[in-house]
Amino acid sequence: MKGHLYQFTVEHLEDPRGQAIDSAPLEFKVRNHDDIFKIVDALKARMPLDETDATAFAIGIKLFGEVMLKNRDNPLFKEFKPQFTEFMKALKKQ
């Protein structure tokens, strides 16, 4: 698959009580057809969200969307595709 290659690292820092968590981070590489950095910048500028929420939203939606495209024959994604397409159209109008 062609596209931009990204590496993600997710660290679990603390539990709901504020206790430190000592666990190995999740690390993975993934390709995406879009430049996620440009999308993050665009959403920060257009969405009424704080910077952290806009970044998390942009990354989450791009990762989810790419998995959906890659697995388009999965019945769960196939059923959800029309709603996701409408959501993305509305998001692009923001």
Side-chain angles (χ1 to χ4, degrees), residues 4-59:
H4 303 267
L5 180 63
Y6 297 96
Q7 178 168 319
F8 288 89
T9 302
V10 180
E11 297 181 52
H12 191 175
L13 301 177
E14 62 182 41
D15 68 15
R17 293 173 283 149
Q19 302 292 322
I21 301 292
D22 184 24
S23 64
L26 298 174
E27 295 182 338
F28 61 98
K29 293 178 184 174
V30 64
R31 289 199 179 270
N32 196 287
H33 68 274
D34 285 320
D35 181 335
I36 293 176
F37 285 86
K38 285 184 181 177
I39 291 171
V40 167
D41 288 342
L43 282 176
K44 283 181 186 176
R46 295 190 326 220
M47 294 290 292
L49 302 171
D50 69 32
E51 188 169 332
T52 299
D53 286 347
T55 301
F57 174 67
I59 291 171

